Amino acid sequence: MDARGKRLGTTLGFVGLGIALATMALWNRQIHQVAIPENRILFIVGFVAAALFGASAFVMRTRWFGAIPAVLAIAIGVFLPFTISISRQEVASTGIQVGQTIPLFTAIDRHGEGFDSASLEGKPVLMKFFRGHW
């Protein structure tokens, strides 16, 4: 029975890692498409399920090579929901509307050089700002 339990524990570790990686891949896809859903409960369920499968692997006494994916599943399954929960993204009610003048600001562009919004005066501009959860 002990060998069978270890086999099941090892399987649970790999299943947990698979769930964690699949959920993380879907989350990253949403970030890159700038389409993070307001209701993130399915992502949380996926990450927590991965952590639970990883923990179950240790309860069932996994083999050494099943412990590695189990630990990774637990780490991913706990860390990412934690970061999601502490970094809420909310749409500001005072956002700039189409056709309005943007406020003056300075920032660093993607090349690391300074950028001043005043240089855009009189030109049509589409600006997009977002922050992913990581």
Side-chain angles (χ1 to χ4, degrees), residues 3-55:
R4 185 176 176 180
K6 284 187 177 184
R7 216 173 336 173
L8 177 59
T10 301
T11 302
L12 290 173
F14 280 101
V15 168
L17 181 59
I19 292 170
L21 293 176
T23 306
M24 191 170 60
L26 289 172
W27 181 256
N28 283 332
R29 187 174 131 222
Q30 295 295 103
I31 287 173
H32 290 289
Q33 292 177 351
V34 193
I36 298 170
E38 285 185 42
N39 185 352
R40 300 176 182 115
I41 197 74
L42 290 176
F43 287 103
I44 301 292
V45 167
F47 286 128
V48 171
L52 290 175
F53 272 99

Side-chain angles (χ1 to χ4, degrees), residues 50-78:
L52 290 175
F53 272 99
S56 296
F58 286 108
V59 170
M60 297 302 295
R61 299 190 59 204
T62 182
R63 292 184 169 112
W64 69 268
F65 56 86
I68 296 169
V71 167
L72 290 172
I74 292 168
I76 294 169
V78 170

